[in-house]
Amino acid sequence: MIRRGYIVSALCVCALLSQQLSCTPASAAEAAPRQEVMVSVPLSKLTELQSLISRQELRLNQLQELLSGQSNGLSQQQQQISQLRQELQTAKSSLTSSEQIINEQNKSLMSLSEELKQEQHRTRRIERQRLLWQVVAFGTVTILLKEKTT
């Protein structure tokens, strides 16, 4: 914590000096040539500050690389989402088409079922009529045979 205090203090001093140098009045800046100001900073603090700056630059580079990677990943995921949406739309369209086909087939099946019932009813009626005519023919033949024998 104390190290950070020193670093912050050093940064503040550098910022103030930099601001002081850049904020000279216009008339003074025109009149007097720029003078360099010497600031004494202990070598250990300067080294520590340089080390901190290089670590921060390294961390910044790492974060930029991470951000770039995540950005690429995000772009790929957005493409996948777009592709999945298209596939979903195609699937919905196919489902709607399939439902229409199923409905048409269901109507056709109901119609065929009704026709089959009518055909079965007609077939039973024809069989009953055939049996009736067989009975009538058998009865007529029997009556004719009895009349011949009598």
Side-chain angles (χ1 to χ4, degrees), residues 16-77:
L16 287 173
L17 287 174
S18 140
Q19 186 177 18
Q20 184 66 25
L21 291 175
S22 67
C23 292
T24 57
S27 60
E30 292 172 0
R34 217 169 189 187
Q35 294 180 1
E36 291 185 15
V37 176
M38 294 292 282
V39 177
S40 64
V41 177
L43 184 60
S44 63
K45 296 297 179 195
L46 183 60
T47 307
E48 187 178 339
L49 186 58
Q50 287 174 338
S51 173
L52 177 65
I53 289 171
S54 67
R55 283 189 306 229
Q56 292 300 327
E57 285 176 348
L58 179 64
R59 181 69 179 146
L60 180 61
N61 289 338
Q62 290 173 345
L63 290 173
Q64 286 175 338
E65 288 175 11
L66 179 63
L67 180 61
S68 176
Q70 288 178 346
S71 178
N72 290 339
L74 182 61
S75 295
Q76 289 176 353
Q77 288 175 348

Side-chain angles (χ1 to χ4, degrees), residues 5 12 18 20 32 37 41 46 53 57 62 64 87-88 100 107 130 138 140-142 148 150:
C12 287
S18 140
Q20 184 66 25
V37 176
V41 177
L46 183 60
I53 289 171
E57 285 176 348
Q62 290 173 345
Q64 286 175 338
E87 290 176 7
L88 180 60
Q100 290 175 347
K107 287 178 185 176
R130 196 175 294 145
F138 180 73
T140 305
V141 170
T142 306
K148 268 190 170 185
T150 38

Side-chain angles (χ1 to χ4, degrees), residues 101-112:
I101 291 171
I102 288 172
N103 287 337
E104 290 173 8
Q105 288 178 345
N106 194 23
K107 287 178 185 176
S108 177
L109 184 60
M110 296 298 278
S111 174
L112 288 173

